[in-house]
Amino acid sequence: MYVEISGLRDNDAPTVVLSAGLGGSGQFWLPQLAVLQKQFRVVQYDQRGTGRSQDTLPETYQLADMAAELANALAEHGITHFDIMGHALGGLIGLQLALDYPQRVNRIVVINGWLSLHAHTRRCFQVRQDLLRHVGVEAFVRAQPLFLYPADWMAEHAERIEAEDALNLAHFQGTDNLLRRLQALMKADFRPLAARLDHPVLAICSQDDLLVPWHCSVALQAALPDASLLTLPRGGHAMSVTEADHFNNLLLNWLSDTAPQRFSQAG
């Protein structure tokens, strides 16, 4: 698995791991890197079967596999205690890590995530699957920004969107890999396990998210023993990109407010 470490170089420095969504690429976090690198050892990675972590995923691929792969990759770099911030799928990987490796995870940030799959999100995923299976990769890639960004932001950044489309086509993770990762994501259900997730969690969402209704984060926060909720009025599913400054300020404030938890070495 491709892992990139930046920011503070001290092995004892607080570490934050950044886990992307369905696209899987660590490059998703570019708008957060500069501010996080001043205070943390920052870990970006490309999820298995995506980007620079090329592989063919098994048909039985599950969220627990994604968590185990990340835990093993971090251990290979000597990283055994960390905060994790994840976008959608990446946030669920963070929750799964906390369940399977509770002594390693300090805090979790879940961006536009959920406790269990919402009917609206399921429909969106089914539409995307149909595009991929019956129309093709190009149609899937060109539709993707519609689920990520607000319409006005897309219009203002049309050239950027076209460049992203070209890049995503050139580095597409493969139909089978994407469908297997998506199926694993859709099956994830933390409702029976929420009481065990007693780590400090920040659920942060955008009220104009087209893909994941923002009240999914409300439900997630309500189900967890030690969770906070922050909502942005706009920004879409990828508000860490479209509203980066506002998002970064909220994030850093929460990390500062919960800083004593950072050094927990339980177990």
Side-chain angles (χ1 to χ4, degrees):
M1 184 179 292
Y2 177 84
V3 173
E4 185 172 338
I5 302 174
S6 61
L8 302 182
R9 293 297 180 182
D10 187 344
N11 289 339
D12 294 327
T15 300
V16 59
V17 178
L18 307 179
S19 187
L22 192 60
S25 172
Q27 296 301 305
F28 176 80
W29 300 105
L30 288 177
Q32 282 67 58
L33 283 184
V35 296
L36 289 174
Q37 287 168 341
K38 295 176 183 178
Q39 301 182 31
F40 295 90
R41 180 170 56 168
V42 180
V43 180
Q44 301 161 261
Y45 76 106
D46 290 352
Q47 294 168 17
R48 181 184 173 195
T50 75
R52 292 157 288 189
S53 299
Q54 291 298 308
D55 201 355
T56 299
L57 302 178
E59 294 182 8
T60 57
Y61 202 54
Q62 300 178 45
L63 191 68
D65 297 318
M66 301 182 197
E69 290 157 1
L70 177 56
N72 291 337
L74 293 173
E76 289 176 1
H77 289 273
I79 299 171
T80 55
H81 295 90
F82 50 86
D83 301 325
I84 181 165
M85 178 166 71
H87 178 256
L89 168 60
L92 302 196
I93 292 173
L95 296 176
Q96 190 68 48
L97 268 169
L99 287 171
D100 296 343
Y101 306 89
Q103 296 173 343
R104 300 191 192 185
V105 177
N106 298 328
R107 298 175 294 180
I108 311 164
V109 179
V110 182
I111 305 164
N112 286 330
W114 56 88
L115 190 66
S116 62
L117 190 66
H118 191 276
H120 172 80
T121 306
R122 182 181 301 278
R123 176 178 287 268
C124 291
F125 284 153
Q126 288 170 339
V127 168
R128 295 172 74 182
Q129 287 181 96
D130 289 345
L131 281 172
L132 183 57
R133 286 174 170 146
H134 305 305
V135 185
V137 173
E138 184 172 356
F140 176 90
V141 168
R142 291 189 65 81
Q144 181 170 293
L146 301 174
F147 296 98
L148 293 177
Y149 307 126
D152 57 342
W153 191 91
M154 286 184 63
E156 293 168 3
H157 298 83
E159 291 186 4
R160 170 179 173 156
I161 297 297
E162 292 293 332
E164 285 185 359
D165 286 349
L167 188 65
N168 289 333
L169 275 171
H171 299 281
F172 186 66
Q173 59 190 268
T175 297
D176 288 343
N177 276 359
L178 192 147
L179 291 175
R180 288 166 185 171
R181 284 161 44 75
L182 183 55
Q183 286 300 311
L185 170 60
M186 294 172 69
K187 291 177 182 177
D189 187 348
F190 291 95
R191 287 174 297 182
L193 307 168
R196 290 172 47 196
L197 286 161
D198 57 358
H199 301 69
V201 175
L202 172 63
I204 183 167
C205 59
S206 174
Q207 291 180 324
D208 65 346
D209 185 347
L210 177 64
L211 182 60
V212 182
W214 70 276
H215 55 78
C216 292
S217 291
V218 177
L220 177 63
Q221 183 266 336
L224 299 177
D226 186 10
S228 304
L229 175 70
L230 292 172
T231 62
L232 278 69
R234 70 179 307 276
H237 189 59
M239 86 286 207
S240 58
V241 175
T242 61
E243 297 290 332
D245 289 343
H246 188 191
F247 174 88
N248 291 348
N249 286 335
L250 292 174
L251 173 66
L252 291 178
N253 286 340
W254 184 81
L255 290 172
S256 176
D257 290 344
T258 57
Q261 304 281 354
R262 178 185 305 166
F263 299 101
S264 173
Q265 300 290 318

PDB file of all heavy atoms in Angstrom, residues 203-223:
ATOM      1  N   ALA A 203     -18.390  14.248  14.048  1.00  0.00           N
ATOM      2  CA  ALA A 203     -19.154  14.070  12.823  1.00  0.00           C
ATOM      3  C   ALA A 203     -19.372  15.459  12.221  1.00  0.00           C
ATOM      4  O   ALA A 203     -19.949  16.330  12.876  1.00  0.00           O
ATOM      5  CB  ALA A 203     -20.490  13.397  13.112  1.00  0.00           C
ATOM      6  N   ILE A 204     -18.896  15.658  11.020  1.00  0.00           N
ATOM      7  CA  ILE A 204     -19.015  16.959  10.375  1.00  0.00           C
ATOM      8  C   ILE A 204     -19.672  16.772   9.020  1.00  0.00           C
ATOM      9  O   ILE A 204     -19.321  15.849   8.275  1.00  0.00           O
ATOM     10  CB  ILE A 204     -17.636  17.657  10.274  1.00  0.00           C
ATOM     11  CG1 ILE A 204     -17.772  19.048   9.677  1.00  0.00           C
ATOM     12  CG2 ILE A 204     -16.613  16.808   9.547  1.00  0.00           C
ATOM     13  CD1 ILE A 204     -16.506  19.896   9.838  1.00  0.00           C
ATOM     14  N   CYS A 205     -20.649  17.622   8.726  1.00  0.00           N
ATOM     15  CA  CYS A 205     -21.454  17.405   7.524  1.00  0.00           C
ATOM     16  C   CYS A 205     -21.821  18.734   6.876  1.00  0.00           C
ATOM     17  O   CYS A 205     -21.666  19.803   7.470  1.00  0.00           O
ATOM     18  CB  CYS A 205     -22.714  16.621   7.859  1.00  0.00           C
ATOM     19  SG  CYS A 205     -23.774  17.429   9.082  1.00  0.00           S
ATOM     20  N   SER A 206     -22.331  18.622   5.666  1.00  0.00           N
ATOM     21  CA  SER A 206     -22.801  19.782   4.911  1.00  0.00           C
ATOM     22  C   SER A 206     -24.286  19.627   4.642  1.00  0.00           C
ATOM     23  O   SER A 206     -24.743  18.559   4.222  1.00  0.00           O
ATOM     24  CB  SER A 206     -22.032  19.892   3.591  1.00  0.00           C
ATOM     25  OG  SER A 206     -22.569  20.926   2.790  1.00  0.00           O
ATOM     26  N   GLN A 207     -25.048  20.668   4.867  1.00  0.00           N
ATOM     27  CA  GLN A 207     -26.496  20.574   4.743  1.00  0.00           C
ATOM     28  C   GLN A 207     -26.968  20.512   3.295  1.00  0.00           C
ATOM     29  O   GLN A 207     -28.144  20.201   3.063  1.00  0.00           O
ATOM     30  CB  GLN A 207     -27.157  21.748   5.474  1.00  0.00           C
ATOM     31  CG  GLN A 207     -26.994  21.661   6.987  1.00  0.00           C
ATOM     32  CD  GLN A 207     -27.638  22.809   7.718  1.00  0.00           C
ATOM     33  OE1 GLN A 207     -27.629  23.946   7.247  1.00  0.00           O
ATOM     34  NE2 GLN A 207     -28.192  22.537   8.889  1.00  0.00           N
ATOM     35  N   ASP A 208     -26.100  20.789   2.339  1.00  0.00           N
ATOM     36  CA  ASP A 208     -26.508  20.677   0.934  1.00  0.00           C
ATOM     37  C   ASP A 208     -25.833  19.484   0.248  1.00  0.00           C
ATOM     38  O   ASP A 208     -25.719  19.450  -0.978  1.00  0.00           O
ATOM     39  CB  ASP A 208     -26.218  21.972   0.164  1.00  0.00           C
ATOM     40  CG  ASP A 208     -24.726  22.285   0.046  1.00  0.00           C
ATOM     41  OD1 ASP A 208     -23.922  21.649   0.777  1.00  0.00           O
ATOM     42  OD2 ASP A 208     -24.354  23.160  -0.757  1.00  0.00           O
ATOM     43  N   ASP A 209     -25.426  18.491   1.036  1.00  0.00           N
ATOM     44  CA  ASP A 209     -24.817  17.285   0.480  1.00  0.00           C
ATOM     45  C   ASP A 209     -25.876  16.524  -0.330  1.00  0.00           C
ATOM     46  O   ASP A 209     -26.885  16.078   0.211  1.00  0.00           O
ATOM     47  CB  ASP A 209     -24.290  16.412   1.619  1.00  0.00           C
ATOM     48  CG  ASP A 209     -23.522  15.184   1.152  1.00  0.00           C
ATOM     49  OD1 ASP A 209     -23.590  14.857  -0.044  1.00  0.00           O
ATOM     50  OD2 ASP A 209     -22.863  14.549   2.000  1.00  0.00           O
ATOM     51  N   LEU A 210     -25.640  16.363  -1.618  1.00  0.00           N
ATOM     52  CA  LEU A 210     -26.581  15.667  -2.484  1.00  0.00           C
ATOM     53  C   LEU A 210     -26.536  14.159  -2.301  1.00  0.00           C
ATOM     54  O   LEU A 210     -27.546  13.471  -2.477  1.00  0.00           O
ATOM     55  CB  LEU A 210     -26.283  16.001  -3.958  1.00  0.00           C
ATOM     56  CG  LEU A 210     -27.137  15.296  -5.017  1.00  0.00           C
ATOM     57  CD1 LEU A 210     -28.597  15.701  -4.893  1.00  0.00           C
ATOM     58  CD2 LEU A 210     -26.617  15.587  -6.427  1.00  0.00           C
ATOM     59  N   LEU A 211     -25.395  13.622  -1.908  1.00  0.00           N
ATOM     60  CA  LEU A 211     -25.213  12.171  -1.827  1.00  0.00           C
ATOM     61  C   LEU A 211     -25.628  11.593  -0.474  1.00  0.00           C
ATOM     62  O   LEU A 211     -26.278  10.547  -0.414  1.00  0.00           O
ATOM     63  CB  LEU A 211     -23.741  11.823  -2.107  1.00  0.00           C
ATOM     64  CG  LEU A 211     -23.366  10.348  -2.101  1.00  0.00           C
ATOM     65  CD1 LEU A 211     -24.154   9.577  -3.158  1.00  0.00           C
ATOM     66  CD2 LEU A 211     -21.859  10.187  -2.327  1.00  0.00           C
ATOM     67  N   VAL A 212     -25.235  12.250   0.594  1.00  0.00           N
ATOM     68  CA  VAL A 212     -25.506  11.753   1.952  1.00  0.00           C
ATOM     69  C   VAL A 212     -26.285  12.827   2.715  1.00  0.00           C
ATOM     70  O   VAL A 212     -25.706  13.860   3.063  1.00  0.00           O
ATOM     71  CB  VAL A 212     -24.200  11.415   2.703  1.00  0.00           C
ATOM     72  CG1 VAL A 212     -24.513  10.866   4.093  1.00  0.00           C
ATOM     73  CG2 VAL A 212     -23.365  10.428   1.912  1.00  0.00           C
ATOM     74  N   PRO A 213     -27.568  12.639   2.956  1.00  0.00           N
ATOM     75  CA  PRO A 213     -28.330  13.639   3.713  1.00  0.00           C
ATOM     76  C   PRO A 213     -27.648  13.981   5.035  1.00  0.00           C
ATOM     77  O   PRO A 213     -27.163  13.101   5.748  1.00  0.00           O
ATOM     78  CB  PRO A 213     -29.681  12.940   3.946  1.00  0.00           C
ATOM     79  CG  PRO A 213     -29.802  11.970   2.811  1.00  0.00           C
ATOM     80  CD  PRO A 213     -28.396  11.485   2.556  1.00  0.00           C
ATOM     81  N   TRP A 214     -27.632  15.266   5.351  1.00  0.00           N
ATOM     82  CA  TRP A 214     -26.843  15.715   6.491  1.00  0.00           C
ATOM     83  C   TRP A 214     -27.348  15.138   7.815  1.00  0.00           C
ATOM     84  O   TRP A 214     -26.573  14.975   8.753  1.00  0.00           O
ATOM     85  CB  TRP A 214     -26.803  17.241   6.552  1.00  0.00           C
ATOM     86  CG  TRP A 214     -28.106  17.898   6.921  1.00  0.00           C
ATOM     87  CD1 TRP A 214     -29.142  18.215   6.091  1.00  0.00           C
ATOM     88  CD2 TRP A 214     -28.491  18.329   8.225  1.00  0.00           C
ATOM     89  NE1 TRP A 214     -30.161  18.804   6.788  1.00  0.00           N
ATOM     90  CE2 TRP A 214     -29.781  18.901   8.106  1.00  0.00           C
ATOM     91  CE3 TRP A 214     -27.893  18.307   9.485  1.00  0.00           C
ATOM     92  CZ2 TRP A 214     -30.479  19.433   9.191  1.00  0.00           C
ATOM     93  CZ3 TRP A 214     -28.573  18.829  10.565  1.00  0.00           C
ATOM     94  CH2 TRP A 214     -29.847  19.387  10.408  1.00  0.00           C
ATOM     95  N   HIS A 215     -28.640  14.773   7.873  1.00  0.00           N
ATOM     96  CA  HIS A 215     -29.132  14.222   9.145  1.00  0.00           C
ATOM     97  C   HIS A 215     -28.586  12.815   9.396  1.00  0.00           C
ATOM     98  O   HIS A 215     -28.769  12.279  10.500  1.00  0.00           O
ATOM     99  CB  HIS A 215     -30.655  14.248   9.210  1.00  0.00           C
ATOM    100  CG  HIS A 215     -31.366  13.566   8.094  1.00  0.00           C
ATOM    101  ND1 HIS A 215     -31.506  12.209   8.020  1.00  0.00           N
ATOM    102  CD2 HIS A 215     -31.979  14.070   6.994  1.00  0.00           C
ATOM    103  CE1 HIS A 215     -32.197  11.896   6.947  1.00  0.00           C
ATOM    104  NE2 HIS A 215     -32.486  12.993   6.290  1.00  0.00           N
ATOM    105  N   CYS A 216     -27.882  12.219   8.419  1.00  0.00           N
ATOM    106  CA  CYS A 216     -27.172  10.970   8.695  1.00  0.00           C
ATOM    107  C   CYS A 216     -26.067  11.201   9.726  1.00  0.00           C
ATOM    108  O   CYS A 216     -25.808  10.332  10.567  1.00  0.00           O
ATOM    109  CB  CYS A 216     -26.582  10.398   7.404  1.00  0.00           C
ATOM    110  SG  CYS A 216     -27.800   9.802   6.220  1.00  0.00           S
ATOM    111  N   SER A 217     -25.433  12.368   9.661  1.00  0.00           N
ATOM    112  CA  SER A 217     -24.408  12.696  10.657  1.00  0.00           C
ATOM    113  C   SER A 217     -25.041  12.973  12.016  1.00  0.00           C
ATOM    114  O   SER A 217     -24.443  12.687  13.058  1.00  0.00           O
ATOM    115  CB  SER A 217     -23.584  13.906  10.192  1.00  0.00           C
ATOM    116  OG  SER A 217     -22.781  13.583   9.086  1.00  0.00           O
ATOM    117  N   VAL A 218     -26.259  13.533  12.018  1.00  0.00           N
ATOM    118  CA  VAL A 218     -26.979  13.748  13.275  1.00  0.00           C
ATOM    119  C   VAL A 218     -27.241  12.400  13.948  1.00  0.00           C
ATOM    120  O   VAL A 218     -27.028  12.231  15.153  1.00  0.00           O
ATOM    121  CB  VAL A 218     -28.301  14.493  13.016  1.00  0.00           C
ATOM    122  CG1 VAL A 218     -29.092  14.647  14.319  1.00  0.00           C
ATOM    123  CG2 VAL A 218     -28.044  15.851  12.385  1.00  0.00           C
ATOM    124  N   ALA A 219     -27.697  11.430  13.155  1.00  0.00           N
ATOM    125  CA  ALA A 219     -27.963  10.096  13.701  1.00  0.00           C
ATOM    126  C   ALA A 219     -26.689   9.429  14.189  1.00  0.00           C
ATOM    127  O   ALA A 219     -26.690   8.752  15.229  1.00  0.00           O
ATOM    128  CB  ALA A 219     -28.643   9.233  12.645  1.00  0.00           C
ATOM    129  N   LEU A 220     -25.602   9.611  13.453  1.00  0.00           N
ATOM    130  CA  LEU A 220     -24.320   9.031  13.868  1.00  0.00           C
ATOM    131  C   LEU A 220     -23.876   9.619  15.197  1.00  0.00           C
ATOM    132  O   LEU A 220     -23.503   8.886  16.125  1.00  0.00           O
ATOM    133  CB  LEU A 220     -23.267   9.287  12.783  1.00  0.00           C
ATOM    134  CG  LEU A 220     -21.848   8.814  13.081  1.00  0.00           C
ATOM    135  CD1 LEU A 220     -21.806   7.295  13.235  1.00  0.00           C
ATOM    136  CD2 LEU A 220     -20.882   9.267  11.988  1.00  0.00           C
ATOM    137  N   GLN A 221     -23.936  10.926  15.308  1.00  0.00           N
ATOM    138  CA  GLN A 221     -23.519  11.587  16.541  1.00  0.00           C
ATOM    139  C   GLN A 221     -24.369  11.136  17.728  1.00  0.00           C
ATOM    140  O   GLN A 221     -23.861  10.870  18.818  1.00  0.00           O
ATOM    141  CB  GLN A 221     -23.608  13.104  16.367  1.00  0.00           C
ATOM    142  CG  GLN A 221     -23.129  13.911  17.574  1.00  0.00           C
ATOM    143  CD  GLN A 221     -24.247  14.289  18.511  1.00  0.00           C
ATOM    144  OE1 GLN A 221     -25.401  14.358  18.094  1.00  0.00           O
ATOM    145  NE2 GLN A 221     -23.914  14.524  19.778  1.00  0.00           N
ATOM    146  N   ALA A 222     -25.670  10.997  17.503  1.00  0.00           N
ATOM    147  CA  ALA A 222     -26.573  10.619  18.586  1.00  0.00           C
ATOM    148  C   ALA A 222     -26.330   9.201  19.074  1.00  0.00           C
ATOM    149  O   ALA A 222     -26.564   8.894  20.245  1.00  0.00           O
ATOM    150  CB  ALA A 222     -28.020  10.771  18.124  1.00  0.00           C
ATOM    151  N   ALA A 223     -25.844   8.334  18.200  1.00  0.00           N
ATOM    152  CA  ALA A 223     -25.668   6.915  18.551  1.00  0.00           C
ATOM    153  C   ALA A 223     -24.353   6.631  19.251  1.00  0.00           C
ATOM    154  O   ALA A 223     -24.215   5.584  19.892  1.00  0.00           O
ATOM    155  CB  ALA A 223     -25.768   6.060  17.283  1.00  0.00           C
TER     156      ALA A 223
END
